[in-house]
Amino acid sequence: MDRLRILLLTFVLQLAGTLPVVAQTKTPASPVLHYTLRIDANDLSGYTVSIRVYHAPHRFRLAMATHHEYDDRYWRFVTDFHAEAPASFTREDSAVWSITTSGEEALVSYRIRLLPLPPPHFSQRPFLSPVGGLVGDLHSFMYLVEDTHTPCRLTLQLPYGWEAATGLDPMPAPAASEPPLDFLVSSALQLLDAPILVGRLHSWHFVVDGTPHEVAYLSMTPTLSFDSIALVANIQKIVRQTVGIFNSFPYRHYSFLLEDASAGALEHGNSVTIGATAADLSSARPDIYGEIAHELFHSWNGMSIRPSGFTELNYGPQQLTTGLWFNEGVTMFYTDLIGRKTGMPVDDSTRLAHLTNLITRYYRDTGNSVLPPGRVSLADYVQPGPLGDYSASTHLQGELLATCMDMLIRDATNGQYCFDDVMRRVYRHHGGQEPFRDTDIENEVTAVCGCKEAHTFFEDYLYQGKPIDFASFLSRLGLRLQHDQPSAIDRQGRPLPDTRVFSWILRDDTSLRIGITNPNSCWAMAGIHTGDIITAINGLPMHTRSDFQTAMNRLHIGDTALLRLKKETGTKIVPVYITGYSTPLITLTEDPAANTKQRRLLQQWKDGLR
Ligand SMILES: [Zn+2]
């Protein structure tokens, strides 16, 4: 235990009454918070949170934070807010409560009302069931706006027989046999980043390089129908491969929180929530281990290595960043590589097949080769619209940029270095420190590569957003690229109608809007733009995305679709003449005339080795 933690533990133990409180100094002491989260087994429609603020300022604010990735706006579900006398409160804003007290302590409490949604839940959202659920993090706890670094203690009051699994540090338990329900938290940042899986949990533990890891599973059934030994062994392999890239951990311990009856996954500093049904785990669904590898990698790249643009805690509008091409795209690059090196099921049979798929997708969504990665990144966590009539993916752009940089470095250093060395440097210089900018990544690539081409690479592809010249990087490893644009056809070889459009409904709105993915599509040619409100197609009313998809499925080449649009000036009917379209066909082949160096570099790349 380091000195800071000993001091913090001493202070929190004093508050817990375990140690005598030291004499107060004349300078006002910083506030310290004691949170209690209580679940009543007889009422699973929500749970209560109380916050006792020691050394409370005369006036302070508590707020529900906004997550940069998924803004679930849980301030909407705060009920029964109460401040015990002598404190009083006002709700200053939707997510902010202002408390005034004349005492040195204040006690605030509120309830989080849970939505009665049928499974599968999104794995990061709180829920409760008779056998357990998920609570904690920014969906549950308010933070002290004026001091996000204040230390705190968390006590869980759970139904009989329930346990808790979380990335938080347990306080020394009164008896080793009792499950830890008291936690020592260094700051609001840590508390709000730590989901807590509760209930009748199955759990397993392993240690990698001296660092403990926990796998906890909340099953909706009493018995497990999958091979838990294989699950834990596979996760352990993923951890070993990942730390092998960076050489050290960004955390002191880590919790994999797996939820039956949930879907999706979300990374945290030293934990992850993942929806994994027993059926998923028994069939070794390829993307389950891919998700685990991806979210674990984010502990380094995303949580420790952070992009500029995010503040630590924020209750205002969702924040945006230009750095997701690195945090997400490079993580995608390693998700595939780690999956192959651990022998986990992956989507594409070989690295070459995977790269072929990536380049095909790059050209299929035209925005990838037109819009700079930073601009695509800004649109990643928000609703459709910011990219106009283009579609693009910062995950895909970033994965391909990492692939090309990896090839550039391998060639320039004669196979001595690869992109792993860039990651190691970025982690060493930015892990847990200053957020990175694109120029910082450029500096690290230049240092590893030792080549002038690194600057040209960033100038062309990151700063100016030019289309990536894949052939120039592939040729360094003796690979040839052929890019054809045949007509898009179905399995019977018949030309497909151009239905490369989608629909969506803005949050807190009811209008169905259309999304254009290619400015050369027949839809764009008809004068329709992303965001137009569509009320009918060929006389059929459009209310839902399902209505829209049904209308698309009925269209054929040569049809004219009559779209009724709702404009500020009134209703407008727009005819769209449905055409066919072309689609990229990418072929990568090994050059028979490749020299010895190219062949050696290609083999090293295929194996993911140096
Ligand atoms: Zn991710």
Side-chain angles (χ1 to χ4, degrees):
M1 188 179 288
D2 57 54
R3 189 167 175 273
L4 181 67
R5 277 177 49 73
I6 292 170
L7 287 172
L8 180 58
L9 177 61
T10 305
F11 191 47
V12 176
L13 286 173
Q14 287 169 348
L15 295 179
T18 312
L19 296 176
V21 178
V22 292
Q24 298 294 309
T25 60
K26 285 184 180 175
T27 45
S30 297
V32 177
L33 280 65
H34 182 179
Y35 292 80
T36 301
L37 187 151
R38 181 172 179 274
I39 298 171
D40 181 351
N42 296 314
D43 181 4
L44 299 176
S45 64
Y47 49 88
T48 56
V49 174
S50 64
I51 310 172
R52 187 173 288 280
V53 184
Y54 297 91
H55 308 311
H58 171 60
R59 180 180 172 277
F60 60 93
R61 291 181 298 161
L62 293 170
M64 294 290 280
T66 306
H67 194 279
H68 59 272
E69 205 167 330
Y70 300 98
D71 182 12
D72 291 331
R73 303 185 298 164
Y74 258 59
W75 49 262
R76 293 175 298 163
F77 308 120
V78 173
T79 64
D80 306 327
F81 193 96
H82 177 75
E84 198 165 283
S88 60
F89 76 93
T90 55
R91 190 167 186 169
E92 197 175 277
D93 201 342
S94 52
V96 185
W97 285 257
S98 176
I99 294 99
T100 305
T101 180
S102 56
E104 286 199 346
E105 290 183 17
L107 179 62
V108 169
S109 62
Y110 55 89
R111 183 171 171 80
I112 297 292
R113 177 173 59 86
L114 293 172
L115 293 176
L117 291 175
H121 324 270
F122 282 112
S123 71
Q124 83 271 15
R125 289 189 184 154
F127 71 95
L128 289 174
S129 77
V131 296
L134 186 80
V135 295
D137 70 39
L138 50 66
H139 293 92
S140 303
F141 300 123
M142 296 186 184
Y143 70 99
L144 193 62
V145 175
E146 283 74 21
D147 187 357
T148 57
H149 291 271
T150 189
C152 52
R153 175 189 173 195
L154 169 65
T155 301
L156 299 178
Q157 295 178 352
L158 304 180
Y160 178 76
W162 284 25
E163 301 169 61
T166 174
L168 295 173
D169 296 309
M171 290 187 42
S177 58
E178 291 184 25
L181 296 176
D182 255 311
F183 300 90
L184 182 66
V185 190
S186 61
S187 70
L189 302 171
Q190 189 188 17
L191 182 70
L192 270 61
D193 183 44
I196 306 166
L197 194 64
V198 294
R200 300 180 187 281
L201 305 178
H202 300 268
S203 58
W204 306 268
H205 298 84
F206 62 86
V207 175
V208 173
D209 295 348
T211 300
H213 292 74
E214 171 186 35
V215 180
Y217 188 61
L218 174 62
S219 173
M220 290 294 122
T221 55
T223 55
L224 297 182
S225 57
F226 58 87
D227 183 349
S228 59
I229 294 175
L231 169 72
V232 177
N234 286 339
I235 292 177
Q236 193 167 351
K237 283 185 206 169
I238 292 170
V239 174
R240 286 192 184 284
Q241 279 295 337
T242 310
V243 73
I245 294 164
F246 294 96
N247 288 339
S248 65
F249 289 101
Y251 47 77
R252 284 181 284 107
H253 56 88
Y254 191 93
S255 296
F256 296 89
L257 309 177
L258 275 60
E259 306 165 22
D260 200 354
S262 294
L266 186 63
E267 72 277 10
H268 298 275
N270 68 336
S271 65
V272 58
T273 54
I274 292 188
T277 66
D280 292 336
L281 294 170
S282 54
S283 64
R285 207 184 76 202
D287 54 341
I288 275 289
Y289 289 113
E291 279 182 357
I292 290 172
H294 182 100
E295 308 303 351
L296 177 69
F297 199 88
H298 271 319
S299 280
W300 284 263
N301 186 25
M303 302 306 298
S304 182
I305 302 167
R306 295 180 67 82
S308 59
F310 291 152
T311 54
E312 289 179 321
L313 276 180
N314 160 53
Y315 61 79
Q318 199 172 353
Q319 296 186 316
L320 305 175
T321 176
T322 58
L324 295 183
W325 71 269
F326 190 82
N327 284 140
E328 291 295 352
V330 172
T331 298
M332 294 296 288
F333 173 85
Y334 280 104
T335 300
D336 180 73
L337 188 55
I338 289 167
R340 289 178 199 285
K341 292 172 88 168
T342 51
M344 298 292 134
V346 286
D347 288 327
D348 300 308
S349 57
T350 64
R351 263 197 119 178
L352 208 53
H354 183 62
L355 183 54
T356 305
N357 270 340
L358 294 180
I359 298 176
T360 304
R361 286 173 48 211
Y362 179 86
Y363 287 119
R364 196 167 56 208
D365 288 334
T366 48
N368 291 316
S369 57
V370 175
L371 303 172
R375 184 170 164 205
V376 179
S377 172
L378 288 170
D380 198 56
Y381 292 149
V382 298
Q383 299 179 85
L387 300 183
D389 294 339
Y390 284 109
S391 178
S393 162
T394 196
H395 289 63
L396 177 67
Q397 288 178 316
E399 185 172 1
L400 282 166
L401 288 168
T403 303
C404 292
M405 283 189 273
D406 186 45
M407 291 179 171
L408 176 67
I409 292 166
R410 287 173 186 276
D411 178 46
T413 65
N414 196 21
Q416 191 179 357
Y417 297 113
C418 67
F419 200 72
D420 292 4
D421 300 282
V422 174
M423 288 311 295
R424 216 164 286 147
R425 287 183 65 97
V426 174
Y427 178 53
R428 195 186 317 143
H429 295 145
H430 292 276
Q433 300 174 51
E434 280 293 299
F436 71 85
R437 297 176 185 279
D438 288 352
T439 48
D440 296 317
I441 307 299
E442 179 190 335
N443 290 340
E444 303 298 0
V445 173
T446 302
V448 172
C449 182
C451 60
K452 290 181 180 173
E453 290 160 291
H455 175 67
T456 310
F457 185 97
F458 275 77
E459 188 61 39
D460 285 351
Y461 305 133
L462 272 302
Y463 310 144
Q464 294 189 27
K466 289 181 182 175
I468 301 174
D469 180 8
F470 293 108
S472 70
F473 300 102
L474 292 164
S475 64
R476 295 161 190 261
L477 274 61
L479 290 169
R480 284 179 174 171
L481 179 148
Q482 185 172 334
H483 179 174
D484 298 308
Q485 276 294 131
S487 294
I489 53 174
D490 65 15
R491 288 184 178 175
Q492 284 73 42
R494 296 170 299 200
L496 284 165
D498 186 355
T499 54
R500 296 173 297 168
V501 281
F502 63 96
S503 65
W504 90 96
I505 297 172
L506 275 173
R507 198 163 68 183
D508 302 328
D509 191 19
T510 55
S511 300
L512 191 71
R513 293 169 190 270
I514 193 166
I516 306 295
T517 61
N518 187 320
N520 296 315
S521 70
C522 57
W523 303 84
M525 291 299 166
I528 294 170
H529 296 289
T530 292
D532 283 347
I533 295 173
I534 179 166
T535 58
I537 296 179
N538 291 336
L540 291 172
M542 293 288 119
H543 299 296
T544 66
R545 294 173 64 190
S546 174
D547 293 339
F548 185 84
Q549 196 52 52
T550 301
M552 290 302 104
N553 293 343
R554 291 178 180 166
L555 292 176
H556 301 90
I557 293 174
D559 289 351
T560 298
L562 295 176
L563 271 64
R564 191 169 73 209
L565 304 181
K566 184 178 164 189
K567 298 276 191 183
E568 285 183 3
T569 50
T571 298
K572 184 178 179 186
I573 303 292
V574 178
V576 180
Y577 180 70
I578 305 299
T579 63
Y581 64 99
S582 69
T583 192
L585 175 64
I586 301 296
T587 311
L588 299 183
T589 51
E590 295 181 28
D591 185 350
N595 61 31
T596 308
K597 177 188 171 185
Q598 287 169 317
R599 289 175 196 277
R600 175 171 47 84
L601 294 180
L602 178 61
Q603 194 57 51
Q604 288 172 334
W605 176 82
K606 282 181 177 176
D607 297 336
L609 301 172
R610 261 185 290 199

